[in-house]
Amino acid sequence: MLNVEEFSISTLNCLKKVTGDSPVILHEPEFSGNEWKYLKECLDTGFVSSVGKFVDRFEADLAAYTGSKYAVAVVNGTSALHIALKLAGVLPGDEVLIPSLTFVATANAVSYCGAIPHFVESESVHLGIDPLPLREYLKSITEIRNGQTINRETNRVIRAIVPMHTFGHPVLINEISAVAKDYHLALVEDAAESLGSYYYGKHTGTFGQFGVLSFNGNKTITTGGGGAILTQDENMAKHAKHITTTAKIPHRWEYVHDEIAYNYRMPNINAALGCAQLEQLPSFLESKRSLFKKYKEALETVSGVSLMEEPKNCKSNYWLQTLILSEDFQSARDSILKVTNDNGIMTRPCWRLLHTLSPFQNCPKMELPIALSLEQRLINIPSSPSLVS
């Protein structure tokens, strides 16, 4: 059995078979389509801000691609989640179930609503919320009163659940949806990382009352900064559009705003970039799948490390390729991170579990043994589609 140093070097050498010897970052955007053309049109016409045809087009293209009836473009994925939770009925003082194994934006958006994150367990196949222990946990700590789920330990309403599709891999969303239904919870999908991912042939972000996407610079497609709210409800879509554009009532010259709202609208110039990127999404996804196959082949010679593969009945976008260390080698995580980064291969651990961060240490949580184990065994490796071009 290899020691930690030998194991780390072996893993590095396997990655270099795919990445080569030149420095490589974790994920970079690829601009090889109509980006310059569409951006130039924005500059030539002067429509660079909140008005312009590309926002409408981007929303329509997103809806068509994902199979959602409506899409509302906003400035980033966090603002999309904030508005989705607000429209789903989350109120100050409510609790919202979220995984501890997620990016901090999930918990921040809950907090923006004045609500309290309630951290729940993940499972090791999909890396998302595990519905089985969650159901047993809710059975033990809650009761239903007047159609609301009440946490008996805090006497607060548990209002919603936010499953997050980790690194682009779909969670057990049908089973989570069943839990949400049985416990009267609004279901808001954090699909920020999973554009191009499907569960039983249905796109992520379209199972719940709302879904949210992100188009940050490191996502599968980018608008520079940006996000979107997906919904099947026309009235909710109209309300989302209204309150993300400062709730201004349309008028030729008057400034009348009929509710407290947010300046979350996506600028036309960002949407132009998104339209060009979305045209190339199929080729990006194909490249990412090819990259997965290359990594998998390269890593076959090293025992103790595997590559995260799309779960059964899922089609993953492989946004971030992910190493999973066996429990025997979890102590090698930091050594691998050091030796890869020292050699020009950018790697990153998964996020620190959110319940351990100072803003959230007093939030309610269930037992999290799997999440704690995954935190020590996951490493993201370079995932740009250009690595196979």
Side-chain angles (χ1 to χ4, degrees), residues 302-323:
V302 181
S303 178
V305 61
S306 60
L307 195 63
M308 176 67 189
E309 187 166 2
E310 64 187 4
K312 184 180 180 181
N313 301 315
C314 297
K315 185 176 182 181
S316 298
N317 66 0
Y318 286 109
W319 170 53
L320 284 186
Q321 310 287 343
T322 306
L323 301 181

Side-chain angles (χ1 to χ4, degrees), residues 13 76 162 173 200 214 222 225 292 344 346:
N13 290 334
N76 52 53
V162 185
I173 192 64
Y200 281 92
S214 172
T222 185
F292 164 79
M346 183 183 288

Side-chain angles (χ1 to χ4, degrees), residues 13-310:
N13 290 334
C14 288
L15 298 183
K16 290 178 72 172
K17 291 179 182 178
V18 178
T19 64
D21 292 323
S22 299
V24 58
I25 68 172
L26 191 66
H27 195 287
E28 61 183 339
E30 181 174 325
F31 303 119
S32 53
N34 287 314
E35 289 89 352
W36 280 111
K37 176 182 176 182
Y38 295 164
L39 291 176
K40 186 176 186 300
E41 181 176 337
C42 290
L43 297 175
D44 288 344
T45 61
F47 287 107
V48 298
S49 191
S50 58
V51 178
K53 71 176 187 180
F54 285 111
V55 174
D56 292 340
R57 175 182 162 184
F58 188 51
E59 291 175 337
D61 289 351
L62 281 173
Y65 182 86
T66 61
S68 180
K69 288 185 179 179
Y70 305 97
V72 178
V74 292
V75 292
N76 52 53
T78 308
S79 61
L81 186 54
H82 175 204
I83 295 302
L85 289 167
K86 181 178 177 66
L87 294 182
V90 174
L91 300 172
D94 286 346
E95 293 180 10
V96 177
L97 304 174
I98 68 171
S100 189
L101 183 68
T102 183
F103 181 55
V104 71
T106 312
N108 283 342
V110 172
S111 301
Y112 296 163
C113 295
I116 297 94
H118 188 146
F119 298 108
V120 299
E121 178 67 301
S122 299
E123 49 83 37
S124 57
V125 176
H126 296 248
L127 305 182
I129 290 176
D130 192 334
L132 293 178
L134 175 61
R135 183 179 287 277
E136 292 303 310
Y137 175 67
L138 292 176
K139 183 178 179 181
S140 70
I141 70 157
T142 69
E143 60 183 71
I144 308 298
R145 301 179 199 161
N146 300 318
Q148 295 182 335
T149 296
I150 308 298
N151 183 342
R152 290 196 304 268
E153 298 177 358
T154 64
N155 205 37
R156 292 190 290 248
V157 176
I158 301 179
R159 187 75 65 182
I161 184 169
V162 185
M164 196 276 285
H165 302 284
T166 312
F167 308 139
H169 299 288
V171 301
L172 292 163
I173 192 64
N174 285 339
E175 294 84 344
I176 294 170
S177 298
V179 174
K181 181 179 179 181
D182 291 345
Y183 284 89
H184 309 281
L185 305 174
L187 177 63
V188 177
E189 286 178 77
D190 185 343
E193 302 172 357
S194 62
L195 180 64
S197 297
Y198 297 82
Y199 187 69
Y200 281 92
K202 186 176 180 180
H203 198 284
T204 55
T206 63
F207 289 81
Q209 187 175 0
F210 296 97
V212 303
L213 301 171
S214 172
F215 312 112
N216 189 33
N218 66 347
K219 294 299 192 293
T220 306
I221 70 167
T222 185
T223 57
I229 303 164
L230 305 179
T231 183
Q232 314 310 315
D233 188 306
E234 181 180 8
N235 290 330
M236 287 294 184
K238 288 180 178 178
H239 198 185
K241 189 73 169 179
H242 186 56
I243 65 171
T244 56
T245 54
T246 69
K248 183 179 182 297
I249 297 175
H251 193 277
R252 290 173 60 196
W253 58 81
E254 290 284 2
Y255 286 88
V256 179
H257 306 262
D258 62 355
E259 62 180 301
I260 294 173
Y262 308 88
N263 189 5
Y264 283 173
R265 54 195 173 188
M266 176 182 282
N268 193 55
I269 196 167
N270 295 84
L273 188 61
C275 289
Q277 287 272 287
L278 197 54
E279 291 171 350
Q280 301 166 81
L281 181 56
S283 65
F284 292 163
L285 296 174
E286 183 179 349
S287 294
K288 285 178 165 293
R289 190 164 290 270
S290 296
L291 181 60
F292 164 79
K293 293 176 181 177
K294 287 190 174 185
Y295 275 132
K296 185 176 181 181
E297 181 179 354
L299 288 162
E300 285 178 349
T301 59
V302 181
S303 178
V305 61
S306 60
L307 195 63
M308 176 67 189
E309 187 166 2
E310 64 187 4

